[in-house]
Amino acid sequence: MFDFTKEREAFENKAWLSSPTMHGPELEYIKEAYETNWMSTVGANINEVERLASEKVGCKYAVALSAGTAALHMAVKLAGVKPGDKVFCSDMTFDATVNPVVYEGGVPVFIDTEYDTWNMDPVALEKAFVLYPEVKVVVTAHLYGTPGKVDEIRNVCEKHNAILIEDAAESLGATYKGKQTGQFGDFNAISFNGNKIITGSAGGMLLTDDEEAAKKVRKWSTQSRENAPWYQHEELGYNYRMSNVIAGVVRGQFPYLEEHIAQKKAIYERYKDGLKELPVHMNPYDGTNSEPNFWLSCMIIEPDAMCKQVRGEQEALYIGEQGKSCPTEILDAIASINAEGRPIWKPMHMQPIYRMNGFLTREGNGRAKTNAYISGGTLGKDGKPLDVGMDIFHRGLCLPSDNKMTVEQQKRIIEVIKECFA
Ligand SMILES: Cc1ncc(COP(=O)(O)O)c(C=O)c1O
């Protein structure tokens, strides 16, 4: 018989990948919305989260929306992407980074990842402009809260007169050269999805220094209503505004952003220390120029310490080997002690939905012309795997990174990982 008490206990004691952490003020702001009857997409909580976000990130204008995906969609529209337009996109990211390009009829062309920060490779981006000089928009994400090579990417965009959209959904609070991520693009997006560093249960925000752009997004996101006594529409509209109830949660969370980052950093450091004897590395960052928000701690196994692992479209198999392991074995082991890990976000160029899209590596090749997968085993002229995203996906995994995870739970996870390599 199904044991509800046992299931509930397992749920409550689980070490999650990243779950919401509430503090109390969130409920007060929700109550305020209820008691003042601003149960709507207008209200004090919305005004306040827009003020807080623009102040924190350092952009002049912030528009609160129903999701980070909605913010990215608005950004793609602002960038003027039209049906058939190619758009250069981060490859190793969540699909919400690139789907909005397709909503507008655009065609994502994926730019491979670099090993230093696991983000868009500026070298591959430059090469991509050689093949497709007509491209006018670039969408770049900061994976797992680690800032990418912002200056290099911005320089390439400037050189080619391309608009930059920054997907800072995972990196709120992370800085690059002392500046917050979410301010480097022409149009930027953050997310308050339930798994993010701070959350509203849902929600997102469009950030920009362009007043006209912000005004457009306010209009488009409220069904593009014109200023008339009746419902008057000249443009296509969307129901994308944030609810004042959700905004209450975000408002209550904002003061805890730095505390969450400090907890996540401590988790990262504990993993780094606990795993230092193993043939693995933590997800890397450029410690000179950037300070991540450490949203997710990840690890990658050295090539020589990988046992055999094969992944199909839905299943994975591995053959255990003494002294070696693989993400599938480690994820199984973590799950067996009621902890949640996850494979690295599967690169977009490997996703069935995007199999016909272009993909460019640092050598300017990939499948731009042939549409054929290049093998993960193919090496570049520098002797390293040519398809970096595929390689990191193969050898890496996301570790339980919840800020409510106890030190004891984390120690147990580290032990279990060590056992995999025994
Ligand atoms: C990199 C990235 N971009 C975009 C999104 C979309 O945000 P949302 O879930 O708020 O729509 C997410 C997360 O969900 C994300 O991780």
Side-chain angles (χ1 to χ4, degrees):
M1 216 177 73
F2 189 79
D3 186 340
F4 281 101
T5 318
K6 214 169 142 202
E7 276 300 306
R8 193 174 163 175
E9 260 176 38
F11 183 84
E12 282 172 359
N13 297 327
K14 189 163 183 155
W16 297 97
L17 190 71
S18 182
S19 75
T21 303
M22 295 292 125
H23 300 275
E26 299 88 346
L27 201 55
E28 295 307 311
Y29 291 123
I30 294 176
K31 247 172 82 186
E32 192 180 298
Y34 182 89
E35 282 166 2
T36 55
N37 208 31
W38 288 105
M39 300 297 282
S40 172
T41 49
V42 188
N45 287 334
I46 298 176
N47 300 342
E48 188 55 14
V49 292
E50 287 182 344
R51 191 189 67 74
L52 287 167
S54 75
E55 189 181 273
K56 177 71 191 175
V57 174
C59 266
K60 284 192 193 143
Y61 306 98
V63 187
L65 299 170
S66 56
T69 311
L72 285 158
H73 185 191
M74 296 291 89
V76 168
K77 249 180 99 75
L78 286 170
V81 172
K82 297 280 172 301
D85 287 356
K86 288 189 174 60
V87 175
F88 292 147
C89 298
S90 283
D91 180 57
M92 204 169 77
T93 183
F94 188 54
D95 72 342
T97 306
V98 304
N99 287 344
V101 170
V102 184
Y103 300 166
E104 288 304 301
V107 181
V109 172
F110 302 111
I111 307 299
D112 199 12
T113 307
E114 37 82 4
Y115 283 111
D116 301 338
T117 76
W118 293 8
N119 284 300
M120 180 186 274
D121 184 349
V123 176
L125 180 65
E126 177 68 69
K127 293 270 167 69
F129 275 106
V130 176
L131 264 173
Y132 298 118
E134 73 278 15
V135 169
K136 285 282 160 267
V137 182
V138 174
V139 187
T140 190
H142 305 291
L143 193 75
Y144 305 138
T146 299
K149 297 191 172 178
V150 174
D151 276 356
E152 290 90 332
I153 290 172
R154 287 220 307 186
N155 288 344
V156 177
C157 288
E158 270 166 35
K159 185 171 154 198
H160 298 278
N161 287 321
I163 289 172
L164 180 63
I165 296 174
E166 190 189 353
D167 178 355
E170 298 177 1
S171 67
L172 179 61
T175 58
Y176 177 81
K177 294 196 173 168
K179 290 182 173 173
Q180 293 283 320
T181 57
Q183 63 169 280
F184 297 114
D186 297 272
F187 313 118
N188 314 298
I190 55 177
S191 165
F192 302 111
N193 180 297
N195 63 5
K196 295 296 181 286
I197 191 101
I198 58 168
T199 180
S201 73
M205 190 90 64
L206 182 284
L207 291 142
T208 181
D209 282 335
D210 179 338
E211 187 178 8
E212 274 313 300
K215 276 190 188 154
K216 277 184 192 165
V217 173
R218 279 182 198 284
K219 183 178 167 192
W220 292 340
S221 62
T222 46
Q223 302 291 18
S224 289
R225 286 172 63 180
E226 296 297 331
N227 191 11
W230 44 81
Y231 288 137
Q232 176 88 0
H233 305 282
E234 292 172 11
E235 289 179 279
L236 190 60
Y238 304 84
N239 183 6
Y240 273 177
R241 207 62 171 120
M242 183 185 278
S243 143
N244 193 46
V245 179
I246 299 285
V249 186
V250 179
R251 185 177 177 185
Q253 287 262 288
F254 246 106
Y256 296 94
L257 174 59
E258 294 306 323
E259 182 181 312
H260 287 191
I261 294 173
Q263 289 164 337
K264 297 270 189 183
K265 184 170 182 176
I267 289 169
Y268 180 96
E269 295 297 342
R270 279 199 291 271
Y271 276 128
K272 193 173 170 186
D273 187 52
L275 300 171
K276 65 176 185 278
E277 318 271 274
L278 295 180
V280 306
H281 306 276
M282 297 300 292
N283 45 331
Y285 64 95
D286 169 4
T288 313
N289 289 316
S290 70
E291 180 66 12
N293 70 3
F294 300 95
W295 175 55
L296 289 192
S297 286
C298 306
M299 56 172 264
I300 184 162
I301 302 169
E302 283 177 11
D304 293 348
M306 278 285 293
C307 66
K308 281 208 175 84
Q309 172 193 247
V310 182
R311 283 175 171 149
E313 288 304 342
Q314 315 250 330
E315 287 163 322
L317 290 171
Y318 69 92
I319 303 172
E321 208 180 320
Q322 216 186 359
K324 298 187 176 189
S325 190
C326 65
T328 306
E329 181 180 21
I330 294 171
L331 289 168
D332 283 354
I334 288 176
S336 76
I337 55 160
N338 199 25
E340 185 189 31
R342 193 160 291 177
I344 295 296
W345 294 184
K346 184 174 177 175
M348 290 300 112
H349 79 279
M350 295 173 70
Q351 299 286 355
I353 182 177
Y354 291 122
R355 68 191 176 281
M356 301 305 281
N357 293 56
F359 166 62
L360 276 302
T361 69
R362 65 184 179 279
E363 291 186 5
N365 50 14
R367 58 167 196 241
K369 288 182 173 152
T370 63
N371 273 335
Y373 278 100
I374 55 172
S375 143
T378 305
L379 300 183
K381 289 181 196 125
D382 54 8
K384 291 183 181 161
L386 192 51
D387 185 334
V388 177
M390 187 187 271
D391 181 41
I392 297 174
F393 175 62
H394 185 62
R395 296 190 286 123
L397 67 137
C398 306
L399 296 162
S401 306
D402 195 67
N403 37 19
K404 294 174 298 312
M405 176 171 63
T406 64
V407 173
E408 283 315 307
Q409 279 176 312
Q410 196 178 351
K411 272 192 190 154
R412 182 77 192 106
I413 293 162
I414 291 168
E415 268 168 32
V416 160
I417 298 172
K418 283 184 178 166
E419 282 161 21
C420 291
F421 286 92

